[in-house]
Amino acid sequence: MNTVQLGERNFLNVGCGRNILPDAINLDSSVLPGVDVVADLNKCKDEKLPLPDDSIDEFLLSHVIEHISTPLDLMQELHRIAKPGAVAKIRVPYGSSDDAFEDPTHVRQYFANSFRFFSQPAYWRADYNYRGDWEVKSLRLFVNRQGNEGLPVEEVLLKINAVRNIVLEMVGELEAVKPLRAPKRELLTQPKISISLE
């Protein structure tokens, strides 16, 4: 089950569960119908994913990373197998939503600035031995239509920081940076943030 055929372009559906995508390499910790690779994403520090360096073009982590107790280990391992410029789309419940806390299998909450800590420049003050580098290119915040429709984006962003359950879901697009950037504060970038009404 852990032997996969790689093509010219490879798409990894990370933590797929029952969401099997036909044109992807489907990876999960459970042996389920359609799963191509079985691996425990909480053990990436000690157990490498059975995929070669620089082999994956695109990643999907849909409601996965909030279940991972060691996300830096996971993102470092995904960086290892990512081709330079590979894109990772990460979908999570927003940290200030009830959904982020109600599910007892969620171990971490994510906010608008959380994904920047998957980059090297974020560690300009301290070194935790993380050796991945993902640049956050964009964030899309899916917000409740009720009470937010017609408001300027700036006003919605202010509400998000003050009120719970405004954002239902956050989707980040990250790009693998290879070689690693230096851990310098001035290299931090600000992603484009967009709002979608639900």
Side-chain angles (χ1 to χ4, degrees), residues 141-192:
L141 306 177
F142 291 86
V143 305
N144 279 316
R145 182 177 298 277
Q146 186 177 1
N148 297 299
E149 191 167 21
L151 295 179
V153 171
E154 296 76 21
E155 192 171 330
V156 175
L157 291 173
L158 286 172
K159 283 179 69 176
I160 287 167
N161 289 328
V163 182
R164 290 180 48 76
N165 292 313
I166 298 289
V167 183
L168 307 172
E169 183 182 41
M170 176 171 69
V171 179
E173 289 210 3
L174 287 66
E175 184 178 289
V177 180
K178 292 188 173 185
L180 300 178
R181 290 171 290 175
K184 294 183 176 179
R185 186 179 190 178
E186 59 269 24
L187 297 178
L188 280 171
T189 59
Q190 186 62 37
K192 177 186 170 194

XYZ file of all heavy atoms in Angstrom, residues 141-192:
411
model
N -10.862 33.995 4.267
C -11.658 33.810 5.470
C -13.126 33.723 5.072
O -13.661 34.644 4.436
C -11.439 34.965 6.452
C -9.980 35.247 6.838
C -9.906 36.451 7.755
C -9.349 34.029 7.486
N -13.765 32.625 5.425
C -15.179 32.433 5.131
C -15.973 32.884 6.356
O -15.877 32.271 7.422
C -15.463 30.965 4.793
C -14.857 30.542 3.486
C -13.539 30.101 3.423
C -15.581 30.617 2.305
C -12.962 29.723 2.219
C -15.018 30.248 1.092
C -13.706 29.799 1.056
N -16.727 33.977 6.205
C -17.410 34.589 7.341
C -18.923 34.447 7.206
O -19.455 34.280 6.104
C -17.025 36.086 7.496
C -15.520 36.260 7.603
C -17.559 36.922 6.347
N -19.591 34.548 8.356
C -21.057 34.529 8.367
C -21.593 35.697 7.554
O -21.170 36.839 7.754
C -21.580 34.653 9.810
C -21.550 33.338 10.530
O -21.936 32.317 9.985
N -21.088 33.358 11.768
N -22.517 35.417 6.640
C -23.138 36.472 5.842
C -23.935 37.413 6.746
O -23.869 38.631 6.614
C -24.042 35.843 4.780
C -24.705 36.841 3.854
C -25.515 36.125 2.779
N -24.690 35.303 1.930
C -23.998 35.748 0.883
N -24.039 37.036 0.580
N -23.271 34.935 0.152
N -24.674 36.804 7.687
C -25.521 37.604 8.573
C -24.655 38.520 9.451
O -23.758 38.067 10.153
C -26.366 36.695 9.460
C -27.366 37.412 10.316
C -28.222 36.449 11.120
O -28.064 35.246 11.051
N -29.138 37.004 11.886
N -24.931 39.803 9.385
C -24.207 40.771 10.190
C -22.936 41.298 9.555
O -22.314 42.215 10.095
N -22.535 40.721 8.411
C -21.285 41.154 7.772
C -21.462 41.576 6.321
O -20.573 42.222 5.767
C -20.242 40.037 7.852
C -19.880 39.712 9.283
O -19.386 40.570 10.001
N -20.158 38.494 9.716
N -22.581 41.217 5.724
C -22.808 41.555 4.324
C -22.861 43.067 4.158
O -23.507 43.776 4.929
C -24.113 40.924 3.823
C -24.283 40.994 2.335
C -25.403 40.101 1.823
O -26.296 39.747 2.624
O -25.372 39.755 0.642
N -22.141 43.585 3.181
C -22.141 45.006 2.898
C -21.124 45.810 3.688
O -20.938 47.000 3.427
N -20.464 45.187 4.656
C -19.466 45.905 5.448
C -18.140 45.973 4.691
O -17.782 45.047 3.966
C -19.232 45.200 6.785
C -20.391 45.151 7.772
C -19.977 44.391 9.031
C -20.870 46.549 8.133
N -17.382 47.060 4.877
C -16.038 47.109 4.284
C -15.154 46.007 4.877
O -15.325 45.620 6.046
C -15.519 48.489 4.692
C -16.690 49.259 5.183
C -17.726 48.270 5.613
N -14.230 45.518 4.090
C -13.341 44.438 4.527
C -12.633 44.805 5.827
O -12.517 43.988 6.740
C -12.319 44.090 3.417
C -11.257 43.139 3.928
C -13.028 43.484 2.210
N -12.174 46.041 5.931
C -11.448 46.477 7.132
C -12.309 46.329 8.388
O -11.818 45.953 9.452
C -10.987 47.940 6.988
C -9.987 48.180 5.883
C -10.617 48.186 4.477
O -11.857 48.392 4.348
O -9.866 47.965 3.508
N -13.613 46.649 8.251
C -14.518 46.540 9.404
C -14.747 45.080 9.785
O -14.791 44.731 10.964
C -15.852 47.222 9.085
C -16.735 47.401 10.306
C -17.950 48.265 10.017
O -17.857 49.156 9.145
O -18.978 48.041 10.674
N -14.862 44.209 8.775
C -15.027 42.774 9.049
C -13.780 42.240 9.752
O -13.875 41.482 10.720
C -15.308 41.984 7.752
C -15.352 40.486 8.040
C -16.604 42.443 7.114
N -12.602 42.666 9.299
C -11.361 42.205 9.924
C -11.273 42.659 11.381
O -10.809 41.911 12.250
C -10.148 42.692 9.131
C -9.964 42.046 7.750
C -8.836 42.728 6.986
C -9.725 40.551 7.854
N -11.742 43.869 11.682
C -11.771 44.335 13.069
C -12.725 43.483 13.908
O -12.420 43.115 15.044
C -12.182 45.809 13.132
C -11.122 46.816 12.694
C -11.721 48.218 12.628
C -9.922 46.797 13.638
N -13.884 43.143 13.354
C -14.847 42.298 14.069
C -14.267 40.911 14.343
O -14.475 40.340 15.414
C -16.144 42.162 13.258
C -17.053 43.369 13.303
C -18.296 43.152 12.456
C -19.216 42.099 13.077
N -20.472 41.940 12.306
N -13.522 40.391 13.362
C -12.937 39.051 13.507
C -12.026 38.983 14.726
O -11.996 37.976 15.437
C -12.169 38.667 12.222
C -13.153 38.356 11.096
C -11.237 37.480 12.462
C -12.519 38.260 9.724
N -11.291 40.059 14.983
C -10.369 40.069 16.117
C -11.051 40.318 17.450
O -10.416 40.167 18.493
C -9.280 41.118 15.892
C -8.313 40.695 14.810
O -8.054 39.515 14.631
N -7.796 41.645 14.068
N -12.336 40.686 17.426
C -13.021 41.026 18.669
C -14.165 40.088 19.032
O -14.531 39.976 20.203
C -13.560 42.459 18.579
N -14.735 39.397 18.056
C -15.955 38.618 18.277
C -15.746 37.176 17.825
O -15.155 36.923 16.778
C -17.138 39.250 17.493
C -18.427 38.476 17.739
C -17.314 40.710 17.857
N -16.238 36.237 18.618
C -16.158 34.819 18.249
C -17.164 34.478 17.151
O -18.164 35.145 16.984
C -16.449 33.935 19.471
C -15.365 33.961 20.515
C -15.693 33.064 21.710
N -16.136 31.721 21.331
C -15.342 30.749 20.902
N -14.049 30.958 20.791
N -15.828 29.568 20.585
N -16.879 33.400 16.428
C -17.786 32.813 15.436
C -18.125 33.727 14.268
O -19.168 33.574 13.645
C -19.069 32.294 16.109
C -18.781 31.104 16.987
O -18.085 30.176 16.581
N -19.282 31.137 18.212
N -17.235 34.677 13.953
C -17.398 35.465 12.732
C -16.882 34.646 11.550
O -17.539 34.518 10.530
C -16.626 36.805 12.824
C -17.165 37.665 13.963
C -16.686 37.557 11.494
C -18.525 38.247 13.729
N -15.679 34.066 11.711
C -15.063 33.262 10.645
C -15.410 31.795 10.879
O -15.194 31.260 11.966
C -13.533 33.429 10.619
C -12.929 32.643 9.456
C -13.151 34.894 10.507
N -15.945 31.160 9.858
C -16.293 29.743 9.938
C -15.113 28.855 9.551
O -14.892 27.808 10.139
C -17.482 29.450 9.014
C -18.706 30.348 9.222
C -19.734 30.108 8.134
C -19.290 30.119 10.601
N -14.374 29.299 8.538
C -13.273 28.487 8.016
C -12.217 29.401 7.413
O -12.528 30.485 6.909
C -13.803 27.532 6.936
C -12.770 26.585 6.368
C -13.328 25.696 5.273
O -14.115 26.187 4.433
O -12.964 24.511 5.244
N -10.964 28.964 7.492
C -9.850 29.692 6.875
C -9.141 28.754 5.899
O -8.910 27.586 6.209
C -8.873 30.163 7.951
C -7.640 30.851 7.413
S -6.638 31.636 8.708
C -6.003 30.199 9.594
N -8.824 29.297 4.735
C -8.080 28.537 3.727
C -6.813 29.319 3.394
O -6.883 30.473 2.981
C -8.909 28.304 2.449
C -8.082 27.539 1.411
C -10.198 27.568 2.767
N -5.683 28.686 3.611
C -4.412 29.305 3.291
C -3.764 28.619 2.103
O -3.876 27.401 1.949
N -3.116 29.410 1.253
C -2.293 28.867 0.173
C -0.858 29.212 0.473
O -0.507 30.389 0.587
C -2.736 29.413 -1.184
C -4.059 28.847 -1.620
C -4.220 28.732 -3.132
O -3.260 29.039 -3.871
O -5.310 28.333 -3.548
N -0.049 28.174 0.634
C 1.353 28.322 0.997
C 2.225 27.780 -0.129
O 1.823 26.839 -0.824
C 1.655 27.568 2.285
C 1.136 28.139 3.612
C -0.379 28.119 3.685
C 1.693 27.351 4.772
N 3.396 28.366 -0.283
C 4.317 27.935 -1.329
C 5.635 27.481 -0.705
O 6.185 28.174 0.156
C 4.570 29.082 -2.297
C 5.435 28.714 -3.482
C 5.599 29.882 -4.429
O 4.610 30.224 -5.113
O 6.710 30.456 -4.474
N 6.113 26.329 -1.139
C 7.386 25.797 -0.640
C 8.541 26.631 -1.171
O 8.687 26.806 -2.380
C 7.555 24.345 -1.061
N 9.339 27.163 -0.253
C 10.507 27.968 -0.617
C 11.747 27.094 -0.465
O 12.038 26.592 0.618
C 10.628 29.218 0.277
C 11.852 30.030 -0.120
C 9.361 30.061 0.208
N 12.454 26.902 -1.572
C 13.699 26.132 -1.575
C 14.722 26.857 -2.420
O 14.387 27.270 -3.539
C 13.457 24.720 -2.130
C 12.600 23.852 -1.234
C 12.563 22.413 -1.748
C 11.846 21.519 -0.743
N 11.890 20.099 -1.134
N 15.928 27.060 -1.922
C 16.425 26.679 -0.601
C 15.788 27.528 0.495
O 15.120 28.522 0.219
C 17.933 26.951 -0.706
C 18.055 27.983 -1.774
C 16.941 27.723 -2.748
N 16.003 27.112 1.749
C 15.440 27.821 2.884
C 15.912 29.266 2.916
O 17.081 29.553 2.639
C 15.879 27.157 4.200
C 15.500 25.699 4.446
C 16.077 25.247 5.782
C 14.003 25.503 4.412
N 14.992 30.164 3.284
C 15.385 31.550 3.508
C 16.068 31.670 4.863
O 15.943 30.798 5.726
C 14.151 32.459 3.492
C 13.532 32.610 2.115
C 12.215 33.330 2.178
N 11.202 32.491 2.806
C 9.969 32.882 3.082
N 9.581 34.110 2.789
N 9.104 32.056 3.645
N 16.770 32.758 5.047
C 17.403 33.034 6.341
C 16.325 33.406 7.364
O 15.295 33.976 7.001
C 18.404 34.173 6.193
N 16.553 33.092 8.636
C 15.586 33.472 9.674
C 15.729 34.953 10.018
O 16.249 35.326 11.073
C 15.955 32.564 10.849
C 17.391 32.247 10.652
C 17.635 32.256 9.172
N 15.258 35.800 9.114
C 15.378 37.242 9.290
C 13.989 37.869 9.238
O 13.215 37.606 8.310
C 16.262 37.849 8.202
C 17.706 37.400 8.285
C 18.549 38.088 7.221
C 20.012 37.697 7.368
N 20.840 38.332 6.339
N 13.723 38.718 10.218
C 12.412 39.354 10.334
C 12.019 40.117 9.074
O 10.853 40.114 8.659
C 12.422 40.289 11.538
C 11.085 40.910 11.864
C 11.184 41.800 13.074
N 9.884 42.206 13.527
C 9.676 42.957 14.596
N 10.703 43.356 15.327
N 8.464 43.308 14.949
N 12.975 40.775 8.435
C 12.668 41.591 7.265
C 12.219 40.759 6.063
O 11.707 41.294 5.080
C 13.860 42.480 6.881
C 15.140 41.747 6.551
C 16.059 41.543 7.754
O 15.559 41.542 8.912
O 17.270 41.389 7.538
N 12.396 39.439 6.126
C 11.959 38.566 5.034
C 10.520 38.093 5.202
O 9.975 37.447 4.316
C 12.893 37.359 4.909
C 14.340 37.671 4.539
C 15.167 36.399 4.496
C 14.404 38.412 3.203
N 9.902 38.416 6.349
C 8.498 38.054 6.546
C 7.630 38.805 5.543
O 7.843 39.991 5.292
C 8.038 38.394 7.967
C 8.425 37.411 9.064
C 8.091 38.000 10.431
C 7.736 36.075 8.882
N 6.658 38.112 4.982
C 5.747 38.737 4.021
C 4.337 38.737 4.585
O 4.006 37.907 5.454
C 5.768 37.986 2.686
O 5.386 36.621 2.896
C 7.139 38.046 2.030
N 3.521 39.650 4.102
C 2.116 39.727 4.519
C 1.256 39.148 3.406
O 1.283 39.661 2.284
C 1.727 41.182 4.804
C 0.332 41.346 5.371
C 0.158 40.653 6.724
O 1.056 40.643 7.543
N -0.999 40.066 6.934
N 0.509 38.077 3.677
C -0.312 37.494 2.603
C -1.512 38.365 2.266
O -1.951 39.193 3.075
C -0.770 36.163 3.210
C -0.798 36.412 4.661
C 0.336 37.359 4.941
N -2.025 38.158 1.091
C -3.281 38.791 0.688
C -4.413 38.097 1.448
O -4.515 36.873 1.440
C -3.478 38.627 -0.825
C -4.780 39.173 -1.335
C -4.965 38.834 -2.801
C -6.398 39.189 -3.198
N -6.774 38.606 -4.485
